[in-house]
Amino acid sequence: MEIGILSTSGGKQLATLTVDPNSTLKELKTQIHRLKSHLYPDRQEFRQEPRGKGLDENKTVAALGLKDHSKLYLKDLGPQIAWKTVFLTEYAGPLFVYAWIYQRPWLFYGEGASNQPMSQVAHIAACCWVIHYAKRILETLFVHRFSHATMPVRNLFRNCAYYWIFSAYVAYHVNHPLYTAPCQMQSYIALGFWTICELGNFSIHWALRNLRPPGSKERRIPRPTKDPLTLLFNLVSCPNYTYEVGGWVAFTIMTQCLPAGLFAFAGFYQMAVWAIGKHRAYKKDFKDYPRGRKAIIPFVF
Amino acid sequence: MTATKKAPSRVLSLPARIYLIFYNAIQFLGWSFLLYKMVDFVINQGLGGKSLWEHVEVPLLIFQSGAILEVVHCACGITPSNTVITFAQVYSRVFLIWPILYNVPDARDQIGFSLLLLAWTVTEVLRYLYYVLNLISFVPGILLWCRYTFFIILYPAGVTGELLCCYRALPHYNKTQEFSVLLPNAWNFTFNFYYYTILVMLAYIPVFPQLYTHMFVQRKKILGNKKHD
């Protein structure tokens, strides 16, 4: 049978493909790639309507109800880059930028700044920061399972700018020769809380990994596991974000640094948006989704 | 976008319409007065910096500051424009007139301020007149043409003037650290108005091309159609 492929922008005919009913959309993407070399499969998204939802590439032509002379729309998602690549670049920046500014380079502080005394909390903060981003890099390499292989290239520049610039902003203040540490008790308690949040965040990532069988893109309702830190699933849909926000609030209190607080707030805002989206998707996809669960802040929202 | 935002002349309530005619008319008169004062100065004294500023200072501060209301108009939905974009535009104007021009006499550069004032007065006179007449659905073609053509020169001229004035204000903020928060302090926070001004100037690099090309797109859409009538 023949399927007409139309562009989502302008609706013009891009190609006519000869397929059999059991062909998956994935195979169609390979065919199109052969016809148009710049459109590698990750860059293609099929839709049944120009502005409709993207179709699962594992579905067959027959399963979608397509017949001879049916039409499918193709969206060009633009140049793609692997998610892993994006994350590694995003997270490497904060690691190196903070470590560099921690050494008090003359570029930021003038000559002789590195000889001046540094508070204990500033050393601890540097460790926390590096551990946090090293953890993120390791999780990206070994823990996370991604539902999409790629994302648009322009995201790389935008995301990196955000992480790298904010890292420099926070690092500049905490490592400054004129930085004033809060009382030790406050810093130690906050450090304890930070540690729990980092462990909690990792526990959730680990639980989410095991929720999804290897190589699968299946979605299931996340629930607490044997790890007590995962009990937060009973209260929120995205406890990984909850722990992440908690960690940054702890870092802010530990250093009593308003720039760190601004960073925590910016992260919280973005994660809240994502959490609300995920929460809604869960409720829509699962009829038996536990009520009483909030998106990111227990009992609140 | 909602229907209200696309066709305000159809869905705007009477009190809102009267208010907007009133607001835009006052701005039109104010900026016409400023245009007159500028022309009057230039004819008698040539291009000026500090003395031109003194000649127009009070009405300029009043009428340009009044534009803050336009952000409120967007937020309330009585004008169709995007609130964030309007905020950015009004912010850049208010930033120029208060912390730069009003606060730093050295910023009143002869070339910079003349360019800025020329661009702003002509643009605003056209813009506010257009809005008033649009609210009573009576926009003459010549006005429409002026509004969507003059910007081609005025927009870059105005931006050049603005950047020049900002640049001239930098030494003052670097030296005096006015409006800045320094270390040490309990919250380990800093704010450096000198670097902030540089940041604002750098922001023109991505923003100006986008707004400039947007105007060209609008021009093609609005003037292109009229040609066929």
Side-chain angles (χ1 to χ4, degrees), chain A residues 154-168:
Chain A
R154 84 184 94 86
N155 280 14
L156 179 69
F157 302 112
R158 193 190 60 181
N159 293 3
C160 282
Y162 169 80
Y163 276 108
W164 295 26
I165 292 173
F166 241 130
S167 299

Side-chain angles (χ1 to χ4, degrees), chain B residues 171-193:
Chain B
H172 166 85
Y173 285 110
N174 193 23
K175 201 173 66 156
T176 65
Q177 299 284 291
E178 197 179 3
F179 303 146
S180 298
V181 176
L182 302 175
L183 286 176
N185 59 68
W187 280 100
N188 293 300
F189 175 72
T190 59
F191 180 74
N192 190 315
F193 201 83

Side-chain angles (χ1 to χ4, degrees), chain A residues 173 176 178-180 256-259, chain B residues 183-191:
Chain A
H173 290 85
H176 202 287
L178 295 175
Y179 166 78
T180 321
Q256 196 161 298
C257 180
L258 186 58
Chain B
L183 286 176
N185 59 68
W187 280 100
N188 293 300
F189 175 72
T190 59
F191 180 74

Side-chain angles (χ1 to χ4, degrees), chain A residues 87 111 146-147 150 186 229 250 275:
Chain A
F87 281 138
E111 292 291 351
F146 297 101
S147 45
T150 65
Q186 175 179 323
L229 290 168

Side-chain angles (χ1 to χ4, degrees), chain A residues 150-227:
Chain A
T150 65
M151 67 158 83
V153 166
R154 84 184 94 86
N155 280 14
L156 179 69
F157 302 112
R158 193 190 60 181
N159 293 3
C160 282
Y162 169 80
Y163 276 108
W164 295 26
I165 292 173
F166 241 130
S167 299
Y169 182 62
V170 176
Y172 173 79
H173 290 85
V174 179
N175 296 301
H176 202 287
L178 295 175
Y179 166 78
T180 321
C183 84
Q184 270 198 343
M185 183 62 68
Q186 175 179 323
S187 294
Y188 285 144
I189 293 177
L191 178 63
F193 191 63
W194 178 86
T195 311
I196 294 172
C197 288
E198 290 293 309
L199 290 169
N201 176 263
F202 176 75
S203 301
I204 303 302
H205 287 156
W206 188 253
L208 288 171
R209 169 196 176 82
N210 294 327
L211 195 63
R212 178 180 268 168
S216 136
K217 292 185 182 175
E218 192 193 323
R219 293 174 72 241
R220 287 160 48 187
I221 298 179
R223 295 190 190 283
T225 65
K226 292 201 187 75
D227 182 337

Side-chain angles (χ1 to χ4, degrees), chain B:
Chain B
M1 275 203 211
T2 63
T4 343
K5 290 207 185 269
K6 270 201 152 62
S9 51
R10 256 174 281 157
V11 195
L12 208 51
S13 71
L14 189 60
R17 186 187 297 271
I18 291 177
Y19 163 74
L20 280 177
I21 293 174
F22 187 62
Y23 169 80
N24 288 305
I26 291 181
Q27 285 283 24
F28 167 70
L29 293 171
W31 283 97
S32 301
F33 178 60
L34 275 163
L35 180 59
Y36 159 75
K37 290 216 88 174
M38 183 188 75
V39 170
D40 171 61
F41 181 95
V42 170
I43 287 176
N44 293 318
Q45 301 179 52
L47 285 182
K50 296 199 173 132
S51 34
L52 176 58
W53 166 265
E54 274 151 36
H55 196 68
V56 297
E57 179 176 3
V58 173
L60 180 61
L61 289 172
I62 291 175
F63 290 101
Q64 186 61 83
S65 300
I68 293 172
L69 282 173
E70 286 169 46
V71 181
V72 180
H73 298 166
C74 289
C76 294
I78 58 175
T79 47
S81 318
N82 178 285
T83 311
V84 174
I85 293 178
T86 306
F87 177 81
Q89 290 170 327
V90 172
Y91 183 84
S92 73
R93 293 292 184 90
V94 171
F95 181 80
L96 253 303
I97 58 170
W98 288 108
I100 302 297
L101 291 166
Y102 175 80
N103 199 45
V104 186
D106 285 342
R108 301 162 198 168
D109 180 76
Q110 187 171 16
I111 296 175
F113 183 61
S114 303
L115 275 174
L116 179 156
L117 193 64
L118 174 70
W120 288 13
T121 48
V122 176
T123 306
E124 301 301 59
V125 163
L126 287 172
R127 184 167 76 96
Y128 287 115
L129 181 60
Y130 170 78
Y131 287 152
V132 171
L133 297 181
N134 195 37
L135 282 161
I136 58 176
S137 308
F138 184 74
V139 184
I142 179 76
L143 177 63
L144 200 63
W145 185 87
C146 288
R147 171 164 150 80
Y148 284 101
T149 305
F150 283 28
F151 80 88
I152 298 175
I153 303 289
L154 290 180
Y155 201 0
V159 165
T160 308
E162 289 170 36
L163 289 174
L164 263 168
C165 292
C166 284
Y167 181 73
R168 293 263 179 260
L170 286 176
H172 166 85
Y173 285 110
N174 193 23
K175 201 173 66 156
T176 65
Q177 299 284 291
E178 197 179 3
F179 303 146
S180 298
V181 176
L182 302 175
L183 286 176
N185 59 68
W187 280 100
N188 293 300
F189 175 72
T190 59
F191 180 74
N192 190 315
F193 201 83
Y194 170 71
Y195 285 118
Y196 179 67
T197 304
I198 292 177
L199 196 69
V200 170
M201 290 171 73
L202 286 173
Y204 276 73
I205 298 176
V207 175
F208 169 69
Q210 287 186 45
L211 294 179
Y212 198 47
T213 45
H214 174 72
M215 285 301 285
F216 274 104
V217 167
Q218 290 294 96
R219 178 171 205 268
K220 196 165 173 198
K221 209 166 63 172
I222 291 172
L223 293 186
N225 286 336
K226 294 290 173 202
K227 280 204 176 80
H228 294 130
D229 284 348

